Amino acid sequence: MSTAARREREKEKRRNDIIDVAERLFFSRGYDNVTMEDIARETELARGTLYLYFKNKDDIYIAIAIRGLKILNGLFREGYMKGNTGIEKIKLMLLAVYDFYRKYPGYYTTIGNMQSRGFNKEDYPEMEEVESIHGDSFRMVLDAFNMGIKKGTVRSDVDPAKAAFILTASMQSVLNTSPADELVEYAVDMMLRSIEDTK
Amino acid sequence: MSTAARREREKEKRRNDIIDVAERLFFSRGYDNVTMEDIARETELARGTLYLYFKNKDDIYIAIAIRGLKILNGLFREGYMKGNTGIEKIKLMLLAVYDFYRKYPGYYTTIGNMQSRGFNKEDYPEMEEVESIHGDSFRMVLDAFNMGIKKGTVRSDVDPAKAAFILTASMQSVLNTSPADELVEYAVDMMLRSIEDTK
DNA sequence: TCATTAAATGACAATTCGTCATTAATATAA
DNA sequence: TTATATTAATGACGAATTGTCATTTAATGA
């Protein structure tokens, strides 16, 4: 009776195996220097088979980015939980991005590339999930701002949504420049300084 | 006697014509949706001829980005000149980026794409020029910081190099999100607030 | 006028993509 | 167990596109 269920599991497993192989290859050689043939060879499948699991090469790339986004989102959540005050939560979440960047550089660049490619939901329905995860992360930053303002650790004249948006975008771009630790710390301090309530 | 010189001019002219056509196509359809054949057709040249003027498709793309960088650099210079104090120069240069983004969205995204592709100087010698223009722009921001610190419009505990770097990177990434005017203004204010001397 | 140099051409091989008719494997029913 | 139906996998194929190079065309100047 559970045949169908097992089939489903196996399919999921195979899908994941493909992503495993693909991400290893993409991370080491870059998107353009990996062919579907390469992925097929390493997974010991025929090229055509890959297309039973993914629409095309981009589709695999998005799947990898989603894995990364989930990890990043988890780190965000940790930061959010650990921080006691609003401003502290914000700081820890900014540092979480840095942590992610260092621990998972492959995922980091994959996410960046995916964003700049601008896939649309019509062609790639998984982009819904991307948006959803992103929204979840953003909501945490927003919450931290609101809490900070209410409790007086964040300046009351700060617009939570705008500031949350700007801070996360800025953090991202600083990391895109492959900066030294020192610069990142400095950037975090600068950002916090611009929102901190110092009265 | 000036035959060689004229030849040189004509060659330069043709090169520019190719860039003209290519940028029109790239801007309207995006890099991946433009073929060398398309560019050849519109320039009324054979495909092979394009390769006499450019190493390959990426090479054309870089040439377009360089055009954009020169324009942006000019806007930077304007802002630098117009501003009376250090902080004012900084503000005007940040707004110059925004101005560039609005007036030349095609160049803006081309530059962004080029950066994320990470071309190296060995394969693409023109990347030297890219670096040089970039360095020139950066130097102006840096100068403005130094002046601001000396004259007291910028906080004295700000590290000019780091802050200059972070500010420009942040501005760029905010724009990458296709923001509303309102958000950009807010971002500029936030950034300035973090470096302003308010004593 | 004619030989030399420079510019342009387009046919070619190579790469890689995504499809699809066919084959193989697995599950279900008799 | 055997036959049938369903699901999964295959790889040959056509299409698109890239960059090259031997050949042709045009321009120069002796």
Side-chain angles (χ1 to χ4, degrees):
Chain A
M1 248 319 70
S2 66
T3 308
R6 176 178 53 89
R7 274 228 149 113
E8 198 51 45
R9 273 202 313 280
E10 284 177 353
K11 225 173 158 178
E12 194 56 33
K13 168 81 163 61
R14 171 136 296 177
R15 204 185 124 92
N16 271 309
D17 289 346
I18 294 172
I19 301 178
D20 286 342
V21 165
E23 80 178 28
R24 208 183 61 239
L25 294 176
F26 284 140
F27 290 177
S28 74
R29 294 193 236 149
Y31 187 76
D32 289 334
N33 298 316
V34 175
T35 68
M36 291 299 273
E37 181 59 40
D38 292 333
I39 298 171
R41 196 179 323 110
E42 298 267 322
T43 48
E44 296 177 303
L45 291 171
R47 225 156 61 69
T49 310
L50 299 178
Y51 290 90
L52 298 177
Y53 293 88
F54 297 92
K55 187 180 172 188
N56 55 32
K57 201 176 161 186
D58 285 338
D59 210 35
I60 301 180
Y61 204 64
I62 293 174
I64 296 171
I66 288 177
R67 273 194 182 177
L69 277 174
K70 284 178 181 167
I71 295 173
L72 174 57
N73 189 57
L75 294 177
F76 255 106
R77 174 150 287 112
E78 272 181 41
Y80 180 82
M81 305 288 270
K82 276 191 191 151
N84 292 312
T85 63
I87 192 98
E88 209 175 294
K89 284 178 193 291
I90 293 169
K91 179 172 190 174
L92 289 176
M93 284 189 278
L94 288 177
L95 291 174
V97 183
Y98 184 40
D99 198 32
F100 178 70
Y101 163 79
R102 276 192 307 190
K103 282 193 192 143
Y104 309 97
Y107 286 126
Y108 188 86
T109 60
T110 299
I111 292 170
N113 284 143
M114 181 195 61
Q115 279 169 350
S116 71
R117 297 284 293 281
F119 297 113
N120 56 327
K121 290 183 225 161
E122 294 81 59
D123 296 340
Y124 299 95
E126 320 92 285
M127 289 308 286
E128 290 281 4
E129 191 177 1
V130 168
E131 242 177 53
S132 149
I133 299 172
H134 202 270
D136 191 56
S137 296
F138 184 74
R139 222 166 297 119
M140 288 188 266
V141 182
L142 194 57
D143 276 3
F145 265 95
N146 282 322
M147 173 181 304
I149 290 171
K150 191 180 285 177
K151 296 280 186 60
T153 56
V154 172
R155 299 168 47 146
S156 59
D157 63 338
V158 164
D159 179 317
K162 284 183 187 146
F165 193 84
I166 292 166
L167 245 60
T168 49
S170 298
M171 188 63 192
Q172 214 185 336
S173 78
V174 167
L175 293 178
N176 278 336
T177 65
S178 318
D181 286 12
E182 216 190 334
L183 185 72
V184 179
E185 282 165 30
Y186 196 87
V188 171
D189 284 349
M190 247 183 92
M191 293 176 195
L192 292 178
R193 187 160 66 215
S194 71
I195 58 165
E196 221 162 12
D197 190 339
T198 55
K199 77 163 165 287
Chain B
M1 252 320 70
S2 66
T3 308
R6 177 178 51 89
R7 274 232 151 108
E8 198 51 45
R9 274 202 312 279
E10 284 176 356
K11 222 170 161 183
E12 194 57 32
K13 168 80 163 58
R14 171 137 296 176
R15 205 186 122 93
N16 271 309
D17 289 347
I18 295 172
I19 302 178
D20 286 342
V21 164
E23 79 178 29
R24 206 184 63 239
L25 294 176
F26 284 140
F27 291 177
S28 73
R29 294 193 236 150
Y31 188 76
D32 289 335
N33 298 317
V34 175
T35 69
M36 291 298 272
E37 181 59 39
D38 292 333
I39 299 172
R41 197 180 320 111
E42 298 267 321
T43 49
E44 297 178 303
L45 292 172
R47 229 158 58 68
T49 309
L50 299 178
Y51 291 90
L52 298 178
Y53 294 87
F54 297 93
K55 187 180 171 185
N56 54 34
K57 200 177 163 186
D58 286 337
D59 211 34
I60 301 180
Y61 204 65
I62 293 174
I64 297 170
I66 287 177
R67 272 194 182 177
L69 278 174
K70 284 178 180 168
I71 296 173
L72 174 57
N73 188 57
L75 294 178
F76 255 107
R77 174 149 287 113
E78 270 181 42
Y80 180 81
M81 305 287 271
K82 276 191 194 153
N84 292 313
T85 63
I87 193 100
E88 211 175 294
K89 284 176 193 290
I90 293 168
K91 180 171 189 174
L92 290 176
M93 284 188 279
L94 288 177
L95 290 174
V97 183
Y98 184 41
D99 199 32
F100 178 70
Y101 163 80
R102 276 191 305 190
K103 282 193 192 141
Y104 309 96
Y107 285 126
Y108 189 86
T109 60
T110 300
I111 292 170
N113 284 141
M114 181 195 60
Q115 280 169 351
S116 72
R117 297 283 294 280
F119 297 113
N120 58 327
K121 290 182 225 160
E122 293 83 59
D123 296 341
Y124 299 95
E126 320 93 284
M127 289 308 285
E128 292 281 4
E129 191 177 2
V130 168
E131 241 176 54
S132 149
I133 300 172
H134 203 269
D136 190 58
S137 296
F138 184 74
R139 221 165 300 119
M140 288 188 268
V141 183
L142 193 56
D143 276 4
F145 265 95
N146 282 320
M147 173 180 303
I149 290 172
K150 191 181 284 179
K151 298 278 185 63
T153 55
V154 172
R155 298 169 47 148
S156 59
D157 63 337
V158 165
D159 179 318
K162 284 182 186 147
F165 194 84
I166 291 165
L167 246 59
T168 49
S170 299
M171 188 65 191
Q172 214 186 335
S173 77
V174 167
L175 294 178
N176 278 336
T177 65
S178 318
D181 285 12
E182 216 190 334
L183 185 72
V184 178
E185 281 165 31
Y186 196 87
V188 171
D189 284 349
M190 247 183 92
M191 291 176 197
L192 292 177
R193 187 160 65 216
S194 72
I195 58 165
E196 222 162 11
D197 190 339
T198 56
K199 76 162 161 284

